[in-house]
Amino acid sequence: MNTPTSPWQLARRAARMNPSVIREILKVTERPGIISFAGGLPSPKTFPVAEFEAACAKVLRDDPAGALQYAASEGFGPLREQVAAMLPWPVDPAQVLITTGSQQGLDLVAKVLVDAESKILVESPTYLGAVMAFMPMEPNVVSVASDEHGVVIDDLQQALLAGSKRGLSPNSASQLLASDPHLPRFLYVLPNFQNPTGRTMTEARRAALSALALERGLPLIEDNPYGDLWFDAPPPAPLTARNPEGCIYLGSFSKVLAPGLRLGFVVAPQAVYPKLLQAKQAADLHSPGFNQRMVSEVMKDGFLERHVPTIRALYKSQRDAMLAALATHFGAMPSAAENNATALDQRLTWNTPAGGMFLWARLPRGMNAVDMLPFAVAQGVAFVPGAPFYADHGDERTLRLSFVTPSVEEIHRGVAALAVALKSYAASLK
């Protein structure tokens, strides 16, 4: 029997749209009894339900027509003012664009700044959702090496030179940036408690990156959804604060209030703000005005200053629980004197994030996190393999562990199950 031919012809860009690996893995975690270290979901314990209940009633009582009507594409004026006021450098509210989650900010950036085959730079590894937002625009995505301090400046310099004219002075390189199609449109970075690694860019590395970006005329897209979730000390000043005209800054209310509201924001210089606004208008007209009014109402009177420290305390206790469980079941991390590549290659290793929601681990030599995942699920625990977070040449031994959603007791049980899974997987390789 002949199968009817579909009349639909997909756009070329549709071929570059792929399902989120994380979303697919999250389906596994819906099985009863699975302890999930996979999702990047904020803890529901942090949602200020009572405050939103009161804000909802007040918004509907005071301005129901305004809250339920179409609204300005730029966003609710008082909320834009509140965003500008809370940032640690002078920001005009006219620079603030309220978005439907910071993920929409990434989509708008891609639509406005990326042409087919244009070069963009990303950290290695980087946030998978950003790559998914950029890829439909058909860019040439180039990874820049990163270490525990952030972007490796020497590798970034090489990426800036690759494909462009060699031997240029800094000034001539900057002048050619706009006209040379081989030079990158921007570098995308998450300096604070990065997803997936949890690492934070040091002050020295930020200063070097900002100086190089300014010298070469390289725009920076600074994504900062986790910056308020520090445990012992706040991170260094944002990259955007050092060069506001050369950066676009993305923020989110998902991690400090609630992700279901789908509200974030973009702070952009005048050179690109109007086009981001037009892209926003074409995408959804405006973000939900009712949600914006509720968030603005909740944020009044310094609520975030009182609320966010409770999130930090909770997440720090859960990070500490995961570190303790890893040390119990996989052995304490070696000291600096004992640190050598051969020893580390033979065991599970992990970092100690200073904030955020994620911990980055690496399997022993010869192992693959994707292959180990079924062994983990069989033991009732799930994680996200790290390779999909690389734009190219993914490290198959890496995995991301989220510590903020499970309870402390679940963290200990889940890490114990992870240890059993690793032993089972290792045995299968022999």
Side-chain angles (χ1 to χ4, degrees):
M1 196 166 94
N2 293 329
T3 302
T5 301
S6 170
W8 301 103
Q9 176 154 348
L10 299 179
R12 185 176 63 182
R13 73 180 65 89
R16 304 187 71 159
M17 298 177 181
N18 295 301
S20 166
V21 173
I22 299 173
R23 293 281 164 181
E24 294 302 308
I25 291 173
L26 284 176
K27 294 177 183 177
V28 174
T29 69
E30 294 173 357
R31 300 180 189 174
I34 294 285
I35 296 173
S36 178
F37 299 146
L41 309 178
S43 171
K45 296 177 183 177
T46 67
F47 300 162
V49 176
E51 286 76 10
F52 276 119
E53 184 178 14
C56 178
K58 188 173 190 304
V59 167
L60 289 177
R61 182 179 66 247
D62 293 354
D63 188 16
L68 301 176
Q69 185 56 275
Y70 285 115
S73 299
E74 294 88 340
F76 184 50
L79 181 59
R80 296 170 72 203
E81 293 172 2
Q82 289 167 306
V83 168
M86 73 184 188
L87 295 172
W89 74 94
V91 174
D92 186 335
Q95 296 177 260
V96 177
L97 176 64
I98 302 299
T99 56
T100 306
S102 60
Q103 185 69 25
Q104 185 183 53
L106 295 168
D107 180 70
L108 300 180
V109 164
K111 289 174 177 174
V112 168
L113 298 181
V114 180
D115 287 316
E117 302 305 322
S118 58
K119 181 177 176 181
I120 62 174
L121 306 179
V122 300
E123 298 172 282
S124 184
T126 191
Y127 171 49
L128 176 61
V131 176
M132 292 178 66
F134 301 152
M135 289 305 290
M137 299 299 108
E138 305 179 60
N140 173 21
V141 182
V142 176
S143 293
V144 178
S146 300
D147 58 22
E148 67 272 19
H149 304 296
V151 171
V152 176
I153 302 302
D154 287 346
D155 198 64
L156 175 58
Q157 290 175 320
Q158 291 302 311
L160 290 172
L161 289 173
S164 65
K165 298 180 180 180
R166 304 284 178 161
L168 295 172
S169 69
N171 287 337
S172 60
S174 177
Q175 292 167 2
L176 283 170
L177 183 63
S179 59
D180 188 339
H182 299 291
L183 288 167
R185 298 295 174 88
F186 57 77
L187 167 64
Y188 170 73
V189 288
L190 296 97
N192 300 323
F193 322 123
Q194 190 224 36
N195 181 1
T197 65
R199 67 190 172 207
T200 300
M201 191 179 297
T202 62
E203 169 59 32
R205 198 65 64 86
R206 291 177 199 232
L209 173 57
S210 295
L212 179 62
L214 183 61
E215 177 185 275
R216 297 301 175 92
L218 173 66
L220 301 179
I221 309 300
E222 181 175 16
D223 197 358
N224 188 31
Y226 309 103
D228 289 324
L229 304 180
W230 49 268
F231 298 151
D232 297 312
L239 297 164
T240 308
R242 303 155 199 261
N243 180 22
E245 294 304 309
C247 299
I248 294 175
Y249 182 91
L250 285 77
S252 175
F253 294 108
S254 294
K255 309 305 186 293
V256 296
L257 288 175
L261 297 167
R262 305 310 304 131
L263 286 181
F265 57 89
V266 172
V267 179
Q270 183 57 33
V272 292
Y273 186 97
K275 288 300 176 184
L276 291 171
L277 175 59
Q278 290 167 21
K280 166 75 175 172
Q281 291 168 340
D284 65 357
L285 299 183
H286 63 86
S287 298
F290 177 69
N291 292 7
Q292 293 185 61
R293 280 170 163 78
M294 281 207 303
V295 167
S296 179
E297 182 64 32
V298 167
M299 286 175 59
K300 287 181 180 178
D301 304 319
F303 173 75
L304 285 182
E305 286 78 3
R306 300 188 301 275
H307 178 61
V308 174
T310 66
I311 304 176
R312 294 179 191 137
L314 174 65
Y315 288 0
K316 181 180 180 181
S317 69
Q318 291 171 254
R319 178 210 61 176
D320 291 347
M322 181 165 281
L323 292 174
L326 287 167
T328 296
H329 295 284
F330 294 98
M333 290 287 283
S335 66
E338 298 169 321
N339 246 348
N340 65 79
T342 302
L344 294 179
D345 254 2
Q346 297 172 357
R347 51 169 296 165
L348 182 78
T349 57
W350 58 88
N351 64 352
T352 301
M357 300 168 55
F358 307 108
L359 182 148
W360 193 238
R362 196 162 188 250
L363 295 170
R365 183 175 52 210
M367 294 188 174
N368 184 313
V370 172
D371 293 340
M372 179 182 154
L373 182 58
F375 291 87
V377 172
Q379 295 298 324
V381 64
F383 59 83
V384 175
F389 293 97
Y390 293 81
D392 51 37
H393 304 102
D395 186 343
E396 296 177 340
R397 293 165 57 187
T398 56
L399 57 144
R400 191 192 75 178
L401 301 174
S402 175
F403 49 80
V404 301
T405 305
S407 66
V408 167
E409 190 272 335
E410 288 173 328
I411 287 172
H412 282 280
R413 286 197 291 116
V415 171
L418 201 62
V420 174
L422 181 56
K423 290 178 182 177
S424 298
Y425 171 49
S428 75
L429 298 176
K430 294 180 180 179

